[in-house]
Structure formats: C-alpha cells, structure tokens
Amino acid sequence: MSLESVASVLDKAFGDDAAPAVALVINSPGGSAAQSHLIHARIRALAAETDKAVLAFVEDVAASGGYMIACAADEIHADAASIVG
C-alpha cells in the first residue's frame, strides 16, 4: 500500500460534508515504513483541515505499518483477539 494508492479514497472520505467522522478499517501485517508514515501524516492533515474525527477499526491484524496507520486515528477499536502492535 502506498499514499498514491489511497490518496483519492482518503480525499473522498474526508470530503463527505455529511459525515462527522471517517472510519478506517485496518487489516494489515505491515508494509513500508515510509509509506505508512506518509499515509498517517495525510490522515492527520485531512482530519485537521476538515475537523473530522477519525476512528480505526482493526480486523485480524494491525501490525507494523498497519499499526502506524491505526495510530493516526483519534480512537482505535479492536477485538480482544486482534493482533495490534
């Protein structure tokens, strides 16, 4: 996953004026540290620009880069059996 591959989806989600928050559904064992950081930074910038809350929902796993992206959220929700970290 890269910022380029998710930028348009993020822009669309944060551009929905009717939505008070943006939900991130994360199921990722990791990936590029640099790309994860770029995605994290873009999420935080869009949240600040639009004054929207960001909620992360972890499915099976949010590890490494997936965890970094989850940390861009204001809240992280995970099942007790999810692997997070």
Side-chain angles (χ1 to χ4, degrees):
M1 187 163 48
S2 67
L3 177 57
E4 182 179 359
S5 71
V6 299
S8 64
V9 175
L10 290 174
D11 291 342
K12 183 177 179 180
F14 281 96
D16 183 348
D17 294 333
V22 170
L24 306 173
V25 179
I26 299 171
N27 192 21
S28 172
S32 163
Q35 289 301 316
S36 298
H37 182 260
L38 290 170
I39 294 167
H40 176 283
R42 184 65 181 148
I43 291 167
R44 291 312 318 153
L46 288 167
E49 289 171 20
T50 61
D51 198 32
K52 289 186 186 285
V54 180
L55 308 173
F57 296 90
V58 175
E59 291 185 330
D60 296 318
V61 62
S64 187
Y67 179 61
M68 177 176 272
I69 293 169
C71 286
D74 299 300
E75 298 177 16
I76 299 173
H77 299 268
D79 185 84
S82 297
I83 298 170
V84 180

